[in-house]
C-alpha cells in the first residue's frame, strides 16, 4: 500500500531546528528537508543530490560547501574515464579499473554496521559503503562520462548495469566492480529469497526508489539501536517526503514518536493512520487505536 500525499510536519533537522542565533546553520546548511522534498518531486530527480541531501540531514556538520565538493569529486572521477570508452562501450571494465582498483571503491562486511556507509559524502571520502551507495557512485560517475548506465535493485544486493537491461551487462561495485553474468544474478536472488529470478527484478531502479531503499537501510541500521531512534525518525520522515512510499511509514513514525516520549503526537498520528486502515483492514485499525490509547495513557 503506497500513497502520494504531503508529508507530516516534522523537525527542521535530525534533532530539531537550528538553535536561535546560529547564523552558520542558516547560511551554510540550508533547509535540507525542503530541498530533498523539492528534488524528490522534480520531473527528473537528480540521484546524487538526493543522496547528498540524505547525508546532510544525517550529519549536522555538513555544509553546502561539503555537498559542492562531493559533486566536484564525482565530476573529477568522471573526467578520468577514458574518452574512448564512448566508442568501445567497455564501460564495466573501465570503471572497474578506475573506481575499483585505482580509486579503491569497494565494500567489506563491516560496512553494514556503519551509518556512514549509507551517506554518499562519507562513501566518497572513505571509499567504502553499502552496495547501493557504491552503485550510486558508479552510476553518477558513469552518467557524467556518457555511459548508458542504470541501477538494478536485486533482492538483498544492488548492482549496476550498462546498455540494454536485457543484455545483463552487470557489475558489482561492492566487489570492486566484479563483472556479473545473468547466472550470477540468478544465484544472488536465489540466495536472498530462495526463489528464481523474476524478469520484473531486472527493471532499472528510478532515483526515488533508490533513495527509498537507502532510507530503508538506514532504518534497518537504527532498528536494533534504541538509542538511535533519532536516526530512525529522520529516515522515516525523509521517506515520507518521497512521492511514492509505503503508507505504513506513517504508523512507523507514530511509534517512533511514542518511543521518544512524544506520546500525544504519536497517539494522534496513530489514530489518523487507523482511519486510513478502516477501509482496508478493520482489525488492524482496532489494534492501532488500542496502541494509541495506551500511548495517551502514558501521559498520566
Amino acid at each position: 500500500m503506497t500513497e502520494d500525499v504531503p508529508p507530516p510536519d516534522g523537525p527542521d533537522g535530525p534533532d530539531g531546528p537550528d538553535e536561535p542565533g546560529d547564523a552558520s546553520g542558516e547560511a551554510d546548511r540550508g533547509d535540507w528537508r525542503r530541498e530533498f522534498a523539492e528534488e524528490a518531486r522534480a520531473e527528473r530527480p537528480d540521484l546524487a543530490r538526493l543522496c547528498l541531501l540524505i547525508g546532510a540531514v544525517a550529519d549536522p556538520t555538513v555544509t553546502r560547501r561539503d555537498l559542492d565538493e562531493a559533486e566536484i569529486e564525482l565530476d573529477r572521477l568522471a573526467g578520468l574515464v577514458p574518452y574512448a570508452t564512448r566508442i568501445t562501450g567497455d564501460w564495466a571494465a573501465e570503471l572497474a579499473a578506475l573506481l575499483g582498483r585505482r580509486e579503491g571503491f569497494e565494500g567489506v562486511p563491516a560496512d553494514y554496521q556503519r551509518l556512514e556507509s549509507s551517506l554518499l559524502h562519507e562513501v566518497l571520502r572513505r571509499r567504502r559503503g553499502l552496495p547501493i551507495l557504491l552503485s550510486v557512485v558508479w552510476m553518477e560517475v558513469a552518467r557524467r562520462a556518457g555511459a548508458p548506465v542504470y541501477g538494478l535493485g536485486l533482492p538483498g544486493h544492488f548492482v549496476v548495469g550498462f546498455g540494454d537491461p536485457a543484455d545483463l551487462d552487470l557489475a558489482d561495485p561492492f566487489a570492486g566492480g566484479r563483472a556479473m553474468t545473468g547466472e550470477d544474478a540468478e544465484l544472488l536472488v536465489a540466495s536472498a529469497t530462495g526463489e528464481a529470478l523474476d524478469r520484473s527484478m531486472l527493471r532499472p531502479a528510478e532515483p526515488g526508489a533508490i533513495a527509498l531503499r537507502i532510507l530503508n537501510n538506514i532504518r534497518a541500521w537504527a532498528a536494533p539501536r534504541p538509542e538511535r531512534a533519532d536516526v530512525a525518525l529522520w529516515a522515516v520522515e525523509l521517506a515520507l517526503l518521497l512521492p511514492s512510499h509505503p503508507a505504513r511509514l506513517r504508523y512507523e513514525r507514530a511509534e517512533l514518536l511514542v518511543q521518544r516520549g512524544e506520546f500525544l503526537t504519536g497517539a494522534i498520528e496513530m489514530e489518523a493512520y487507523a482511519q486510513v486502515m478502516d477501509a482496508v483492514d478493520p482489525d488492524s485499525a482496532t489494534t492501532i487505536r488500542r496502541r494509541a490509547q495506551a500511548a495517551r495513557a502514558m501521559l498520566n
Side-chain angles (χ1 to χ4, degrees), residues 12-144:
D12 297 326
D15 294 306
D18 288 326
E19 290 297 323
D22 183 359
S24 63
E26 183 74 21
D28 298 332
R29 296 187 174 88
D31 186 347
W32 302 131
R33 295 185 186 219
R34 177 185 57 77
E35 293 184 31
F36 180 87
E38 290 174 353
E39 190 63 47
R41 293 173 181 269
E43 184 176 353
R44 293 184 177 180
D46 185 294
L47 176 59
R49 182 157 178 77
L50 285 176
C51 293
L52 289 171
L53 287 168
I54 290 173
V57 173
D59 184 351
T61 69
V62 166
T63 66
R64 198 169 299 280
R65 179 176 179 178
D66 294 321
L67 302 193
D68 290 343
E69 289 178 349
E71 295 271 12
I72 290 170
E73 175 65 0
L74 291 170
D75 291 341
R76 183 189 73 82
L77 292 169
L80 298 176
V81 180
Y83 185 82
T85 314
R86 294 171 180 255
I87 300 171
T88 65
D90 198 8
W91 294 103
E94 291 292 353
L95 286 164
L98 170 64
L99 298 178
R101 293 192 290 277
R102 177 174 167 182
E103 294 290 333
F105 284 96
E106 64 178 352
V108 295
D111 291 323
Y112 285 89
Q113 304 304 317
R114 303 177 67 116
L115 176 59
E116 55 263 46
S117 297
S118 291
L119 309 179
L120 181 55
H121 68 288
E122 287 287 351
V123 172
L124 286 168
R125 181 182 67 84
R126 297 176 56 242
R127 273 27 184 184
R128 295 287 185 274
L130 295 189
I132 191 169
L133 267 297
L134 291 168
S135 293
V136 167
V137 172
W138 270 58
M139 292 165 63
E140 288 301 302
V141 170
R143 179 181 64 80
R144 285 165 167 77

Side-chain angles (χ1 to χ4, degrees), residues 137-211:
V137 172
W138 270 58
M139 292 165 63
E140 288 301 302
V141 170
R143 179 181 64 80
R144 285 165 167 77
V149 66
Y150 61 91
L152 197 59
L154 298 173
H157 204 67
F158 203 100
V159 299
V160 296
F162 299 91
D164 186 340
D167 293 337
L168 291 180
D169 181 11
L170 307 177
D172 182 0
F174 191 75
R178 178 178 62 86
M180 290 180 57
T181 65
E183 183 177 351
D184 292 329
E186 291 175 358
L187 290 173
L188 267 176
V189 171
S191 64
T193 68
E195 299 178 0
L197 175 70
D198 188 283
R199 297 301 296 182
S200 64
M201 299 176 184
L202 301 177
R203 187 178 301 115
E206 297 296 327
I210 294 173

Side-chain angles (χ1 to χ4, degrees), residues 223-240:
R225 298 172 171 85
E227 73 281 3
R228 298 314 311 268
D230 60 318
V231 172
L233 182 59
W234 65 250
V236 167
E237 290 176 341
L238 285 187
L240 286 166

